Amino acid sequence: MRLLASTFLLLLVSGAAYAAPPSDPLGSPMWADMVERVLEGGEVVFDDKVKVVVPSIVENQAQVPVTADARALPGVTKLVVFADLNPIQHVLTLTPGKSAPYIGFRMKVEQGTPVRAAAQTADGVWHVGSVYLDAAGGGCSAPAMARNEESWSTTVGQTQGRIWRDISGLARARFRIRHPMDTGLARDNTPAFYIESVKVTSSAGAPLATLQMFEPVSEDPTVTLMLPLAPSDGAIDIEGRDINGGLFRSQITAPWRQSNVVVPRG
Amino acid sequence: MGDPDLSRVEVHASVTYASVMMRAVLRIATLIVCCSGLGLSASARPLDEVVASGSLRVISYLDNAPFSFEENGKPAGIDVEIARAIAKELGVTAEIVLRMQGEKADDDVRANVWRGPLTGGGTGDIMMNVPMDREFALRNPEAVFGNAYFQERVVLAVDPGERTDISSFDAFKTRKIGVQLATVADYFLMTYDDGALIENISHHLKPEQGVQEFLNKDVSALLGIQSKLESLLHASKGRAKFLNPDMPGIVRKTWVIGMAWKENSRDLGYAIDAALVKLSASGDLARCFEKYGVSYVSPPLN
Amino acid sequence: MMTAKWLASASAPALALALTLSTPARADVSIEDILKDATTTNDVVTSGLGTQGQRYSPLKTIDKDNVSQLAPAWAMSLGGEKMRGQQAQPLVKDGVMYVTGSYSRLWAIDVKTGHEIWQYDHRLPEGILPCCDVVNRGAALINDKVIFGTLDAKLVALDRKTGKVVWTKEIDDFKGGYSYTAAPLIVPSKAHGPLVVTGVSGGEFGIVGRVEARKADNGDLVWSRPTIEGHVGTLDGKPSTMTGKKGESWPGDLWKTGGGATWLGGTYDPETNLIFVGAGNPAPWNSHMRPGDNKWSCSRIAIDPETGEIKWGYQTTPNDGWDFDGVNEVVSFDLNGTKAVATADRNGFFYVLGREDGKFISGTPFVEKITWAKEIGKDGRPVYNPDNRPGNPKDSKDGKKGESVFAVPSFLGGKNQQPMAYSPDTKLFYVPANEWGMDIHNEPVTYKKGAAYLGAGFTIKPIFEDHIGALKAVDPATGKIVWTYKNRAPLWGGVLTTGSNLVFFGTPEGDLKALDATDGKELWSFNTGSGIVAPPITWEQDGEQFVSVLSGWGGAVPLWGGEVAKTVANLNQGGMLWTFKLPKKLAAAQ
């Protein structure tokens, strides 16, 4: 009866039935919901080629390092990271373009939760890698550290970063944007206030990657991306935008511009 | 930290709710859980609590050089140095918050000492740079005022090579003088000899602007607070000599600054007083001032 | 359990569908919609129910006979612990209400259900505005955007459909004490398309006030107009013309730091194509230090929306010595065939001026026992009572404190920020006035940032035993007070009047009231649960007439001391948006 009712409604609403998602190896009570809300239809498979790396012990629930890596899977158009049992589940979405379907960053967790990366290939199929993160909790509802620093507004948007040449031929770029990334859940009534989008382009203007972020990304987001930056390009431009309309533009210069190392064109 | 087990129970209970409700429900659940333990106390506290927490929260003014200002995003200035020295004496670290001023110092005492700003941020354990004034203290019974650490005075700054004899303000009937708008010094100049100087008075809103005019020789003299003039000249490597001509009718030529803390934290005030006495005796207090080019003037004993 | 799961699996797409079905198509708000807002009854797209600011609606469904049956349709809480003063006038367009609240928040609400569609919650820096309350007085609609100012002095334009930020501009640096609380004004311009006009709020004492116009599309600054003589405006990024002549009515160089803040926004008259804005009090406090008129402090100025040029100015309180800010709204109306404006000043006088040239027509008291001036002379200048100017401290015995005087009105004014209404039917203005005075003295020493300044001391006192608030019906042709409705606590919300000769207004006690516009008789009252300090609106939706008002006690009001505080001692904070209508069968019977 339960199944019937929901199927009926889904048919009514969307006009097309979803294939039932595979059952979750982690047994999360939210899995079915997550498929529907975060992955919004499309076929879903669990796939070892999509890796999620988290530490075995969480030291700081407000700063949990996460790496989502779907480089083993060809033709990825979108990489979504979510955590089922977080109060806000959707963490970020990377649209890699020609860059690698790879992202390293830090996130907040409210409690132990599955952390998943879903890589969508051109055929619309979601390839999901999952890991269970064991954590004590509290990361989302603790006020941002910036709460007691009345100067957050003077440093907001300041960006620093570095670019390295990676063995794969891509450029590994890591940058940090100063921002409180308030979740709106802290008990001090601070409203949600976070960077919602980050665009990375080459200094020549070529789009490299775009990133959509949500509340669970840690304060002062620190992001690692693998970008197809030509050796002739000396820098990347980063444009971040927060939900109050704040725009933060910055440029990170590639060190090989100043060095004598000649990197052959690949 | 909130109780993680309690948190987990709440989450499982709410899974049966509609998923769109999930976020809202979890929000409430986590709020309930976290109110129990997380977060920081930001109200003024007695000495024991300050010592137990290991940190003294000190509030002073933003944009009030040389006493407190931001330098490369970090608090700096005489008040900041003194606060750190006091915290060290108490065996705690200083958490220093610089905050905008309100319309009057009374508003600042309300925001920084006993009620906190409406927009959040809380009060401090102690507020610096508060005038020691009987009427002011009577108007603000929620705070205790004391621990005076400096005496401010109104002086006349002129070029070190000034040859004219400026023994009276009549000299400014024929030459320009700068003053900060609406200060007691301004009132003295504007009403001097029934307004005889008005056309030669150049008003500025910030002492920085006044010192710039003085260095540019747009004005031949400045009437203002010695500590500000000394430090700004020191910072811009300018020089001046300070004169004290008779100021007939000036309503206040000197005043003392000290600290304010919450009425229920008197023992904290005493402990800080003891620390100040030590700092004064060792000469550390005077060095906090000298670092910013300000001559230390100890407050008179009442 | 079953229902819950059923909802769980279906809810997200179903909700998306429900939203598309129930949310009406949202057409753009054109500049034409804004200019004719006073006559269209199915929406409220301007602050003031029309850019002229008459706060008059021609609607007649709710009338003297049935208003007693007026009942709540819905109420929505503004939520959180963020209560405090709610001073905004709601806006309504295509079935969606837009309303701002304390702490720089903005909501879009379905007017049929009172359910929130989206909320924008501006992230404010900690510790801003240590002294003041955290109010907002409303938003502006234009095209696909809703625009409002924030406490950290930013202007934010949101997409009306999604609540997402389209553009944001800094009006000024909040660290310099600036903020923004007034509803922005939208005006047409040939050269730049619709403009968003704002003033400035706050700022360090002695900062010069200004009016600014920005393009509605992207927030780019078009022109800026300082309010004090001697300061040069800008147009298209270049210096334009000087306001007045340098220091003409100021001693020495005091014009440089003259004040004249424009914190209450303005109104616009399409017939004369003029923006009307008021300017606040001059600096420094002590009027003895700045002999002269001190223009254009405590004044109304008329500005050309194309260029930002001043077309005329009229000063209500020359050489102000009582802190009578001149910011109160200027309302355009027809005075027996003459294009006129009226304004009820802080100083207790009700002024009627020529709309095209600012020529003085009349100035009459709208509160009782005014002491600071005997009258407004035929030349439009106040005839001062020299004895009622706070004394010069210099002339006092000890040189410490100037002679104290009891002056009426108090510095909070015969009327403050709460807007009045005008009915073209009764030809009367409905002025939310307050009867109070103050002990005032110039006191030499006050402290700011530890430094010693000159200040003024005030103590506000009621002048009648039974009331401070007084809603007055003023005849602009004669200056006569036709009727008065007395209220114990001071009035701090605005007024609305309708084509069925009703006057709506709220009280700090929390009651939304309807009076007979012809005689002031109370016809209906409803307790909203917290004090009302905001103006009501009315509009028509699917053949039914609605009335909405924000309830939420706060603003400058709770800071009052002494005798006045007693009248508001038992009022509690809140934050609720109320909407009323007639029960359906009653409305249908009309």
Side-chain angles (χ1 to χ4, degrees), chain B residues 266-280:
Chain B
R266 285 176 188 269
D267 56 346
L268 177 64
Y270 300 140
I272 290 173
D273 184 32
L276 264 182
V277 169
K278 276 177 81 177
L279 292 170
S280 179

Side-chain angles (χ1 to χ4, degrees), chain C residues 8-86:
Chain C
S9 357
S11 52
L15 187 85
L17 185 75
L19 275 177
T20 23
L21 285 182
S22 71
T23 310
R26 267 170 250 177
D28 277 3
V29 177
S30 68
I31 193 72
E32 290 74 27
D33 292 339
I34 287 170
L35 296 180
K36 63 175 198 233
D37 190 35
T39 55
T40 55
T41 53
N42 61 341
D43 59 21
V44 178
V45 296
T46 59
S47 190
L49 283 81
T51 61
Q52 289 184 328
Q54 291 189 352
R55 295 186 180 273
Y56 166 83
S57 167
L59 284 171
K60 291 179 177 168
T61 311
I62 301 170
D63 61 22
K64 288 181 198 176
D65 297 327
N66 64 24
V67 67
S68 62
Q69 304 298 313
L70 202 56
W74 50 260
M76 191 198 86
S77 168
L78 303 191
E81 289 157 32
K82 294 177 172 174
M83 296 298 199
R84 306 210 70 87
Q86 309 298 346

Side-chain angles (χ1 to χ4, degrees), chain C residues 64 423 425-426 430 497-503 515-518 523:
Chain C
K64 288 181 198 176
S423 167
D425 302 326
T426 61
Y430 302 99
T497 180
T498 70
S500 52
N501 284 349
L502 291 177
V503 169
L515 309 185
D516 185 328
T518 55
L523 303 172

Side-chain angles (χ1 to χ4, degrees), chain A:
Chain A
M1 177 60 200
R2 185 196 293 174
L3 189 71
L4 201 73
S6 58
T7 313
F8 172 71
L9 227 121
L10 286 174
L11 280 170
L12 184 78
V13 168
S14 64
Y18 300 128
S23 65
D24 177 24
L26 299 178
S28 156
M30 292 292 285
W31 168 242
D33 267 353
M34 291 291 96
V35 171
E36 196 176 287
R37 289 168 50 206
V38 182
L39 303 183
E40 293 174 340
E43 195 185 326
V44 177
V45 295
F46 285 100
D47 190 333
D48 289 344
K49 292 200 190 77
V50 182
K51 291 190 176 56
V52 184
V53 184
V54 297
S56 53
I57 299 167
V58 171
E59 288 175 347
N60 179 353
Q61 296 86 335
Q63 296 274 353
V64 181
V66 177
T67 305
D69 183 356
R71 285 178 295 177
L73 189 69
V76 174
T77 56
K78 223 183 228 184
L79 184 66
V80 177
V81 180
F82 59 95
D84 299 24
L85 297 185
N86 243 16
I88 299 163
Q89 297 91 2
H90 194 166
V91 182
L92 57 80
T93 296
L94 171 70
T95 307
K98 283 183 185 155
S99 59
Y102 172 97
I103 184 164
F105 65 99
R106 285 157 192 265
M107 68 175 285
K108 296 165 239 181
V109 291
E110 186 61 24
Q111 58 160 337
T113 174
V115 177
R116 305 181 199 267
Q120 192 172 38
T121 41
D123 55 4
V125 177
W126 290 101
H127 300 257
V128 179
S130 307
V131 63
Y132 188 82
L133 176 75
D134 207 356
C140 291
S141 51
M145 296 297 286
R147 190 185 149 279
N148 281 324
E149 266 178 44
E150 310 208 359
S151 60
W152 70 261
S153 58
T154 58
T155 57
V156 68
Q158 287 178 0
T159 305
Q160 57 193 124
R162 254 192 90 178
I163 306 176
W164 299 267
R165 209 17 99 193
D166 190 77
I167 195 155
S168 65
L170 294 170
R172 175 187 288 263
R174 170 181 272 189
F175 52 88
R176 184 182 73 154
I177 308 176
R178 298 288 298 272
H179 204 283
M181 297 297 284
D182 295 303
T183 59
L185 304 179
R187 67 177 184 119
D188 63 357
N189 259 308
T190 304
F193 178 54
Y194 56 92
I195 298 177
E196 59 179 1
S197 73
V198 176
K199 267 188 242 172
V200 184
T201 50
S202 76
S203 55
L208 299 178
T210 61
L211 193 56
Q212 195 187 8
M213 299 206 277
F214 297 94
E215 294 95 322
V217 176
S218 296
E219 181 176 2
D220 299 338
T222 306
V223 173
T224 307
L225 297 172
M226 305 280 273
L227 305 168
L229 190 67
S232 56
D233 279 329
I236 58 170
D237 288 326
I238 297 169
E239 184 183 291
R241 181 188 154 104
D242 70 27
I243 62 164
N244 275 14
L247 275 183
F248 321 114
R249 294 194 181 92
S250 58
Q251 189 171 64
I252 299 171
T253 315
W256 57 80
R257 280 297 264 191
Q258 285 87 39
S259 72
N260 294 320
V261 180
V262 178
V263 182
R265 279 171 186 272

Side-chain angles (χ1 to χ4, degrees), chain B residues 162-220:
Chain B
E162 179 65 59
R163 278 150 190 277
T164 323
D165 171 35
I166 304 180
S167 54
S168 129
F169 281 86
D170 286 346
F172 300 101
K173 286 179 176 170
T174 53
R175 50 196 7 236
K176 290 263 182 195
I177 180 167
V179 71
Q180 190 180 355
L181 181 74
T183 56
V184 289
D186 180 24
Y187 176 67
F188 163 73
L189 289 178
M190 288 293 283
T191 54
Y192 183 83
D193 196 5
D194 290 328
L197 309 183
I198 287 179
E199 292 306 317
N200 284 324
I201 299 170
S202 175
H203 286 94
H204 49 260
L205 290 179
K206 292 171 188 277
E208 290 82 346
Q209 298 160 344
V211 167
Q212 200 51 53
E213 283 186 16
F214 177 73
L215 293 175
N216 294 348
K217 302 206 185 299
D218 296 333
V219 292
S220 66

